Amino acid sequence: MPYIPTTPEETRRMLSVIGVEKIEDLFADIPEEIRLKRPMDLPKPMSEAEVKRHMEELANKNKVLINFIGAGAYERLIPTIVPYILSRWEIYSAYTPYQPEVSQGTLQMIFEFQSLMCELTGMEVATASHYDGATAAAEAALMSCADTRKHKVLVSRAVHPQYRDVIRTYATGQRIEIVEIPIKDGRTDLAELEKLLAAKDVAGVILQNPNFLGQIESMAEAVQLAHKAGALGIAVFDPISLGVLAPPGEYDADIAVGEGQSLGLPLSYGGPYLGIVTSKERLVRRLPGRLIGATRDVDGKRGFVMTLATREQHIRREKATSNICTNEALCATAATIYLAALGKEGLKEVARQCVLKSHYAYEKLTSIPGVTPVFTGPFFCEFALKTDKLTPKEGYKGLADKGFAAALDLTPYYPEYEGAMLFAVTEARTKAEIDALAAAMGGLLA
Amino acid sequence: MIRLRDYEPLLNELSVPGRRGYYLPECDVPGKAEDYLPSEALRKEDAPLPELSEVDVVRHFSRLSDLNYCIETGIYPLGSCTMKYNPKINEYAASLPEFANLHPMVPVSAAQGALELMYKLQKYLAEITGMDAVTLQPAAGAHGEYTGLAIIAAYHRSRGDHDRVEVLVPDSAHGTNPASAAVAGLKVIEIPSDSRGLVDLEGLKAALGPRTAALMLTNPNTLGLFESDIVEIARLVHEAGGLLYYDGANLNGTMGVCRPGDMGFDVVHLNLHKTFSTPHGGGGPGSGPVGVKKHLEPFLPVPVVALSESGEYYLDYDRPQSIGRVRTFYGNFGVCVKAYAYIRRLGPEGLKRVCEYAVLHANYIWARLREHYRFRYDRICKHECVAMPTKEMMDNDVHTKDIAKRLMDYGYHAPTIYFPLIVPEALMIEPTETETLQELDGFCDALIAIKKEALENPQVVKDAPHNTPVRRLDDVAAAKNPILNWRKLGNL
């Protein structure tokens, strides 16, 4: 029997030790009226070889496109050692480290992850991980309300639309008011932010940098405005951008969250990804989910344990800071291996190549007659364009037909920027691919 | 135990300036990145990341992995965690480049294979649970609980039933149940268990009323016992105007035999990383799909994977009553691929057999241990059983924690301990269907040997573990003076 080693003879022995005749006797307490009296209506079993072929056939129904789309998920060069190390089952098939004496591998890797997140962001504490960037941002919003005892959170309209959706979903249950900060020329309008803060009834202010439209925000000013009004400054960051951009710790953010997919995780059609949650030390007891701490064993040897668990659901139940239990530990481990492999110089190089390649693509594309930029401010690796001829739908489809995933239609999210298409270029793209994209775009407009 | 190295420095301690573990291709476009960015947006100093060579990195993580117990080492009998073998074909499937490299925002025409898989998995999970519709969006069990409760809250609100804010949760429930209710903005009312270890019907009746939003129930419950009054419980809750929420953590104990939908549940979450064999990764990622009955379908999170009349799979966002999104994109797709491969490998009979053998193995452990340990609910169980040390062991000051630690010296991972909360000194044991009789016997023999030690030489148990890479760690110091990153280590 697949995945069940027990033989018929062993089954009989076990039943006799239990003192029943047959397996069905073990289910005697299930009322007759709710028993399923037919086999489940599912496809019949396959051998492993058939599963393999079937999965390959399914996978082949996807089309491989050259990727120029970002929007919160980025194709990157992933060092071969990342998936290789992760495929060690001592790493992927372990449970949550409930017994630290036989889980030091996992515990130390997550302690290293927390440490690397602090080094990268300049923040004082980081958690063991969260589901994804959006849920991390929602938790940050809830944290700011718990900390300030206020019930209003301001979220820039330039924050990823799906993040805003998730924040709103969580806020609905908690009766937290979410107010959008308007944008101007693709960046958060700080004059409007100041007005929204005037009543001093705001718990937290959430900005993303670089924002969803690719533009670089004035984070330091925004955080200062928040602090002046007694609100927490919350940053949503892209970890790769921190190779060159000022980290949240430098501009005095109270909470900084991000999507860690870029740190060695495959795109995998949207998940599993990695929520990063960091904060100032002062907020440590309000953090959601697991934290790993260092300590000593009875012999004085250094070791690691899950700690400050009195914040968590298994101890505090309905009074816990969050309901999270299972997190994204393996994804955090991937990020740890990725950053260990890249190191100080490597990360900087990735960030620089993103900047250079995206700017090269921007120059190439905007030099096509009829293509114009939507925003003019500085950007990191993502930018919006429009054309005098193509609707975004036509651009998105036309480029897909030519083998490119590109020109994401911004209209559903930003009707005010009708016609805008979003492009992203990472270090994974080559000059030749960028030139080919530009040629394809030129072809569509010719 | 002989271990060649049982101590590994931290990454920052291994760092040597000038080393690199990965080299990017030479940049093939011109320019200097800093010229494109305003100087005030730049970081003042480089992020102080460690510097290691490729060999350093590989060795570091290899040595660390040697310090872990895992399901591929041996039985991992954590109750309610369903640590079963992780089939390797599942890993192969999820790593296929056309899945692994697929961007979530490509046109749906380029993602038909992924969408077909998700659509079919939704259907399979609906059939397995007896529900009408399923979302794969939640990232883990607790996230599924939150999603299910948000759906329930939205349903009551849509009917103008604004007072229904109370969620009834048995005292034996997983900690995530009350925590998820709180995040969904609902109020938790705890209801008692009776002498059978089941929901106390009188206690339930007393708690039900016009403010009841839902009852959350795990069935089999955390004692491994089937809530045999479920039909009556469902009737009572529904008559009071509430809904029934099924915590699917223990689905391995009933799969294919009876379904939450047929028991009367309105909402269910599943843990693909438990019942459907996907690895737990040292704490995640999981996947927590939520199934609902027809009347709750309009409230599912957006988008829902759907099939058009022309036979194209697509993402349906046009759902005005939806609770909204609970995360980015469409869920932990990579985990869904593995669960899908598992379901296709086993088919309907294979999945039912999973349940039967999970229950057989748990009862075998109960039968072998019942003369040696105490069982407050000493009867046939489902997928897990809950033992306690005997009075004589406790008289020698040997407690559950000591037993758990001593098991490691025998080479076994400990069960879940001190849970459920209603059983003092609980040892909650869930073996799953993938263990061999020899492994089950070895585990039981170890527990029986530990009992003997507890009576004859308790100190050896109380000082355990003796053979692990580290011995008992000082949790109190860790919490009192938290050292949460390597900058804070001092001389540790």
Side-chain angles (χ1 to χ4, degrees):
Chain A
M1 293 182 284
Y3 315 139
I4 302 174
T6 313
T7 65
E9 164 53 22
E10 288 173 330
T11 304
R12 278 190 290 279
R13 264 168 60 199
M14 293 168 94
L15 287 168
S16 101
V17 171
I18 298 166
V20 296
E21 273 181 27
K22 45 191 194 310
I23 288 183
E24 294 84 85
D25 297 344
L26 302 173
F27 295 91
D29 53 348
I30 298 184
E32 196 56 32
E33 55 189 307
I34 54 168
R35 287 182 187 226
L36 187 64
K37 296 180 188 73
R38 58 169 176 84
M40 290 182 284
D41 183 14
L42 298 170
K44 65 179 175 48
M46 289 178 174
S47 66
E48 182 181 293
E50 288 164 319
V51 172
K52 187 165 181 265
R53 194 177 316 130
H54 172 67
M55 298 307 292
E56 287 164 354
E57 280 165 8
L58 261 183
N60 281 328
K61 290 185 184 177
N62 296 329
K63 276 197 210 104
V64 179
L65 302 173
I66 299 172
N67 205 7
F68 286 95
I69 291 185
Y74 300 88
E75 184 187 334
R76 301 207 168 274
L77 298 177
I78 300 176
T80 313
I81 60 169
V82 177
Y84 260 82
I85 293 172
L86 279 190
S87 72
R88 283 186 70 112
W89 46 56
E90 298 90 338
I91 298 177
Y92 79 70
S93 92
Y95 200 75
T96 304
Y98 286 138
Q99 296 294 341
E101 296 87 348
V102 290
S103 311
Q104 283 300 303
T106 295
L107 286 160
Q108 184 168 333
M109 289 179 215
I110 302 298
F111 182 83
E112 291 176 338
F113 170 74
Q114 292 174 183
S115 303
L116 287 167
M117 291 306 108
C118 292
E119 301 292 25
L120 190 60
T121 59
M123 302 296 286
E124 289 164 333
V125 284
T127 71
S129 71
H130 213 77
Y131 305 133
D132 69 350
T135 47
E139 292 279 5
L142 304 189
M143 270 175 80
S144 71
C145 293
D147 186 57
T148 58
R149 295 171 186 271
K150 295 172 187 170
H151 304 279
K152 188 196 277 188
V153 175
L154 307 183
V155 184
S156 166
R157 189 166 165 72
V159 169
H160 194 306
Q162 295 188 358
Y163 285 42
R164 282 184 279 136
D165 288 348
V166 174
I167 293 168
R168 259 193 299 271
T169 305
Y170 274 80
T172 304
Q174 301 275 319
R175 289 163 192 83
I176 291 168
E177 189 189 353
I178 302 294
V179 178
E180 220 162 70
I181 314 163
I183 45 181
K184 201 172 139 190
D185 300 330
R187 303 170 76 219
T188 307
D189 188 333
L190 294 183
E192 290 294 327
L193 170 61
E194 197 166 7
K195 281 186 219 157
L196 288 168
L197 284 165
K200 296 198 188 301
D201 59 348
V202 171
V205 175
I206 306 182
L207 264 70
Q208 182 176 13
N209 190 45
N211 67 29
F212 182 72
L213 302 164
Q215 299 283 299
I216 292 173
E217 298 274 10
S218 300
M219 295 304 285
E221 275 179 82
V223 170
Q224 245 175 29
L225 288 174
H227 287 171
K228 257 199 335 216
L232 301 192
I234 301 168
V236 179
F237 64 88
D238 163 6
I240 294 294
S241 76
L242 300 186
V244 290
L245 294 185
E250 246 178 52
Y251 51 75
D252 203 25
D254 300 279
I255 307 172
V257 298
E259 173 53 66
Q261 175 270 328
S262 276
L263 303 173
L265 292 168
L267 288 165
S268 194
Y269 206 49
Y273 287 176
L274 168 64
I276 304 169
V277 180
T278 68
S279 78
K280 289 184 176 169
E281 182 100 47
R282 162 182 103 65
L283 294 164
V284 66
R285 280 168 206 277
R286 297 203 186 277
L287 285 170
R290 294 181 193 128
L291 291 166
I292 309 303
T295 187
R296 286 183 199 280
D297 77 354
V298 287
D299 298 329
K301 189 172 169 184
R302 183 170 75 191
F304 302 91
V305 292
M306 295 201 280
T307 194
L308 298 178
T310 48
R311 299 162 298 111
E312 290 187 69
Q313 47 78 26
H314 60 284
I315 310 270
R316 289 279 276 173
R317 298 176 79 87
E318 68 268 25
K319 294 190 180 66
T321 53
S322 165
N323 65 329
I324 188 171
C325 180
T326 287
N327 57 23
E328 307 291 305
L330 193 68
C331 306
T333 306
T336 307
I337 302 165
Y338 176 86
L339 286 173
L342 269 94
K344 186 174 164 173
E345 288 304 317
L347 182 76
K348 202 160 64 176
E349 176 69 13
V350 172
R352 282 177 171 162
Q353 290 207 10
C354 286
V355 172
L356 292 177
K357 291 185 175 186
S358 60
H359 284 77
Y360 175 77
Y362 175 87
E363 302 290 342
K364 271 300 247 204
L365 289 166
T366 51
S367 67
I368 301 169
V371 178
T372 47
V374 181
F375 310 114
T376 50
F379 64 91
F380 175 67
C381 74
E382 230 160 345
F383 53 86
L385 302 177
K386 61 184 172 190
T387 75
D388 53 1
K389 254 194 191 158
L390 288 175
T391 66
K393 276 202 177 87
E394 289 162 349
Y396 184 62
K397 186 174 176 307
L399 289 171
D401 291 343
K402 295 184 178 218
F404 299 95
L408 185 75
D409 183 5
L410 284 176
T411 322
Y413 315 110
Y414 298 94
E416 66 270 38
Y417 298 132
E418 202 191 336
M421 304 176 247
L422 195 62
F423 293 78
V425 187
T426 72
E427 81 285 0
R429 293 285 70 86
T430 62
K431 177 172 177 292
E433 288 167 335
I434 299 168
D435 292 343
L437 172 75
M441 188 81 173
L444 288 178
L445 288 164
Chain B
M1 196 190 293
I2 296 167
R3 203 178 281 276
L4 296 179
R5 295 190 200 188
D6 60 6
Y7 182 83
E8 175 64 12
L10 289 155
L11 283 170
N12 64 321
E13 294 162 345
L14 293 166
S15 174
V16 176
R19 279 199 187 153
R20 273 177 86 161
Y22 184 70
Y23 295 86
L24 266 70
E26 196 92 355
C27 191
D28 54 5
V29 300
K32 190 164 168 284
E34 282 75 1
D35 293 345
Y36 291 107
L37 301 167
S39 59
E40 66 274 15
L42 298 176
R43 70 181 301 150
K44 293 192 187 84
E45 282 169 25
D46 291 345
L49 301 177
E51 297 172 81
L52 297 99
S53 72
E54 181 170 335
V55 182
D56 290 329
V57 177
V58 170
R59 286 200 177 143
H60 174 70
F61 289 98
S62 300
R63 288 175 186 152
L64 283 182
S65 41
D66 276 347
L67 306 182
N68 267 3
Y69 191 96
C70 69
I71 188 64
E72 267 71 315
T73 313
I75 187 171
Y76 215 132
L78 289 168
S80 278
C81 299
T82 316
M83 285 295 281
K84 58 172 77 176
Y85 171 68
N86 308 136
K88 305 308 162 214
I89 182 69
N90 302 353
E91 301 302 310
Y92 170 80
S95 69
L96 287 168
E98 298 82 5
F99 286 139
N101 299 339
L102 189 65
H103 193 285
M105 300 296 261
V106 296
V108 291
S109 61
Q112 285 296 299
L115 290 166
E116 179 179 339
L117 184 148
M118 293 172 77
Y119 182 81
K120 288 185 169 163
L121 183 58
Q122 289 174 181
K123 293 278 180 221
Y124 300 161
L125 297 177
E127 167 65 10
I128 290 166
T129 55
M131 292 286 157
D132 295 313
V134 168
T135 173
L136 303 175
Q137 204 176 110
H143 201 211
E145 291 176 15
Y146 163 73
T147 304
L149 291 166
I151 288 170
I152 288 171
Y155 168 81
H156 289 308
R157 274 199 306 272
S158 76
R159 293 157 50 94
D161 236 348
H162 295 284
D163 291 338
R164 293 201 178 270
V165 293
E166 291 178 356
V167 176
L168 313 186
V169 178
D171 54 9
S172 61
H174 298 118
T176 49
N177 289 184
S180 299
V183 176
L186 301 166
K187 193 172 166 239
V188 178
I189 309 284
E190 194 170 274
I191 55 169
S193 302
D194 64 14
S195 60
R196 301 169 301 164
L198 305 179
V199 168
D200 180 291
L201 286 180
E202 292 312 311
L204 172 65
K205 283 180 200 161
L208 285 167
R211 295 177 61 78
T212 303
L215 167 70
M216 294 184 88
L217 205 56
T218 310
N219 196 16
N221 66 22
T222 59
L223 297 161
L225 302 176
F226 191 83
E227 295 280 357
S228 46
D229 295 328
I230 183 60
V231 177
E232 174 68 357
I233 292 170
R235 192 183 60 79
L236 289 169
V237 174
H238 284 148
E239 269 180 19
L243 298 178
L244 258 84
Y245 182 95
Y246 182 89
D247 175 338
N250 295 347
L251 187 74
N252 225 41
T254 58
M255 182 163 57
V257 175
C258 60
R259 309 184 301 172
D262 301 329
M263 298 178 207
F265 286 93
D266 303 281
V267 186
V268 42
H269 89 259
L270 300 174
N271 300 72
L272 299 187
H273 47 296
K274 297 182 180 179
T275 319
F276 297 94
S277 80
T278 74
H280 213 284
S287 174
V290 168
V292 295
K293 289 274 179 65
K294 200 87 202 155
H295 52 285
L296 298 175
E297 194 177 346
F299 304 98
L300 286 176
V302 278
V304 170
V305 182
L307 179 61
S308 76
E309 280 175 13
S310 64
E312 196 188 47
Y313 296 96
Y314 68 103
L315 295 160
D316 180 12
Y317 285 91
D318 185 17
R319 305 180 71 88
Q321 284 190 289
S322 165
I323 58 164
R325 275 188 172 279
V326 296
R327 56 156 292 166
T328 48
F329 309 116
Y330 329 113
N332 281 349
F333 174 75
V335 180
C336 294
V337 174
K338 298 176 194 184
Y340 175 91
Y342 181 71
I343 293 172
R344 295 307 303 262
R345 175 78 183 91
L346 289 178
E349 298 82 12
L351 290 175
K352 186 178 178 188
R353 211 159 44 223
V354 160
C355 162
E356 291 174 339
Y357 278 83
V359 171
L360 176 71
H361 291 175
N363 277 289
Y364 180 71
I365 288 184
W366 163 69
R368 281 219 52 201
L369 293 179
R370 57 192 294 227
E371 282 172 30
H372 307 279
Y373 283 78
R374 277 197 301 158
F375 286 84
R376 173 174 282 191
Y377 307 100
D378 192 19
R379 56 187 169 92
I380 298 283
C381 60
K382 290 288 153 304
H383 63 298
E384 62 194 0
C385 58
V386 181
M388 296 182 282
T390 61
K391 182 169 179 302
E392 305 82 74
M393 294 168 83
M394 306 263 280
D395 286 347
N396 272 3
D397 203 25
V398 170
H399 293 269
T400 285
K401 182 171 182 179
D402 306 314
I403 298 164
K405 301 296 180 198
R406 185 61 179 152
L407 262 174
M408 298 174 205
D409 287 333
Y410 283 84
Y412 296 99
H413 197 278
T416 297
I417 54 173
Y418 299 104
F419 187 84
L421 305 176
I422 58 170
V423 178
E425 301 281 332
L427 286 150
M428 186 197 202
I429 308 167
E430 179 179 10
T432 84
E433 73 283 0
T434 60
E435 294 309 320
T436 62
L437 174 58
Q438 294 69 32
E439 187 74 3
L440 298 175
D441 275 334
F443 173 72
C444 292
D445 290 345
L447 275 171
I448 293 164
I450 291 168
K451 178 182 178 180
K452 195 158 177 274
E453 288 176 336
L455 301 184
E456 292 168 3
N457 181 15
Q459 204 57 39
V460 75
V461 183
K462 291 171 61 59
D463 290 343
H466 303 269
N467 303 333
T468 46
V470 292
R471 297 183 56 218
R472 287 197 199 195
L473 291 145
D474 191 345
D475 301 305
V476 177
K480 203 170 159 193
N481 173 31
I483 299 170
L484 305 176
N485 68 56
W486 58 43
R487 286 195 175 189
K488 297 286 172 66
L489 276 171
N491 57 3
L492 191 65

